[in-house]
């Protein structure tokens, strides 16, 4: 394995575990703590949206890095399932950044700017809840995909390093 491919494997490994770490940190610590501490969704919601807006950009960037490393690396033994998982993760990150999160922000803003007795308020609340629940469900799938890819990447990296050591011994 040449030095460039080793470097790409390290970048892929670091990017993948960074994405996994931040997903776990935000989903299971930062956002729940924000809502517990600030109490009401009206106060905590906009702050959580800011966390996710930043994280969506980070996810999309990491997704691009993973796609690039998969294209450059092209190890046929792992290419098929890795590329599929990486592509799906990248599509999820793009959907969050360019569609789902903006819809949550849009309907959240409309809810805040609409009077309580307005007929449109219920529609805005329903749409906001739909996109929020969609985000949460897709995030569960994303988390499972990240964990699966992390385990497979860890195993493959270990196997490839053993193969390299055997070649170096010969």
């Amino acid at each position: 394995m040449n030095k460039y491919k080793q470097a790409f494997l390290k970048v892929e490994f670091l990017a993948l575990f960074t994405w996994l770490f931040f997903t776990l940190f935000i989903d299971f610590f930062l956002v729940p703590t924000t809502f517990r501490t600030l109490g009401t969704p009206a106060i905590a919601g906009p702050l959580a949206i800011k966390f996710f807006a930043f994280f969506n950009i980070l996810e999309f960037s990491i997704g691009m890095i993973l796609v690039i490393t998969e294209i450059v690396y092209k190890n046929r033994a792992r290419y098929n399932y890795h590329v599929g998982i990486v592509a799906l993760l990248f599509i999820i990150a793009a959907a969050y950044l360019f569609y789902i999160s903006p819809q949550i922000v849009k309907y959240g803003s409309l809810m805040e700017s609409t009077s309580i007795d307005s007929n449109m308020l219920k529609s805005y609340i329903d749409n906001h809840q739909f996109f929020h629940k969609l985000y949460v469900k897709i995030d569960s799938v994303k988390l499972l995909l990240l964990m699966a890819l992390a385990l497979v990447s860890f195993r493959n990296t270990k196997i490839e390093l053993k193969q390299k050591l055997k070649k170096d011994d010969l």
Side-chain angles (χ1 to χ4, degrees):
M1 178 171 22
N2 68 37
K3 290 180 183 180
Y4 294 114
K5 288 193 177 184
Q6 282 181 331
F8 274 101
L9 275 178
K10 289 176 184 175
V11 167
E12 175 188 60
F13 201 70
L14 180 64
L16 178 60
F17 279 94
T18 300
W19 194 352
L20 181 59
F21 170 78
F22 276 107
T23 298
L24 291 169
F25 177 73
I26 289 173
D27 289 354
F28 294 105
F29 177 73
L30 190 62
V31 171
T33 302
T34 301
F35 276 88
R36 264 193 316 271
T37 305
L38 298 178
T40 66
I43 298 170
L47 187 56
I49 291 289
K50 288 182 182 182
F51 295 147
F52 284 111
F54 167 76
F55 187 55
N56 290 157
I57 294 167
L58 181 66
E59 283 185 306
F60 185 76
S61 302
I62 292 172
M64 263 202 294
I65 290 168
L66 291 176
V67 167
I68 291 167
T69 58
E70 286 299 319
I71 291 168
V72 170
Y73 188 64
K74 290 186 181 177
N75 181 340
R76 291 292 172 204
R78 68 179 213 153
Y79 190 68
N80 292 334
Y81 57 86
H82 259 241
V83 169
I85 294 172
V86 166
L88 189 54
L89 285 167
F90 183 69
I91 290 167
I92 289 170
Y96 283 167
L97 180 62
F98 297 113
Y99 186 68
I100 298 171
S101 289
Q103 292 298 315
I104 292 170
V105 171
K106 172 185 163 185
Y107 287 110
S109 297
L110 287 170
M111 286 170 17
E112 288 176 13
S113 66
T114 305
S115 65
I116 292 175
D117 59 344
S118 170
N119 292 334
M120 294 302 294
L121 184 60
K122 182 177 178 351
S123 171
Y124 296 154
I125 291 170
D126 290 345
N127 285 324
H128 183 271
Q129 286 300 309
F130 170 78
F131 285 108
H132 181 266
K133 288 177 183 175
L134 179 64
Y135 192 106
V136 170
K137 287 178 183 176
I138 292 173
D139 212 50
S140 299
V141 171
K142 179 192 77 178
L143 187 56
L144 291 173
L145 289 171
L146 283 169
M147 288 190 294
L149 192 59
L151 289 172
V152 169
S153 291
F154 182 73
R155 182 187 62 109
N156 285 344
T157 302
K158 195 171 159 183
I159 290 169
E160 289 166 359
L161 288 174
K162 282 182 183 178
Q163 290 172 349
K164 182 187 179 314
L165 290 173
K166 284 181 184 177
K167 286 181 185 177
D168 289 345
D169 288 342
L170 298 177

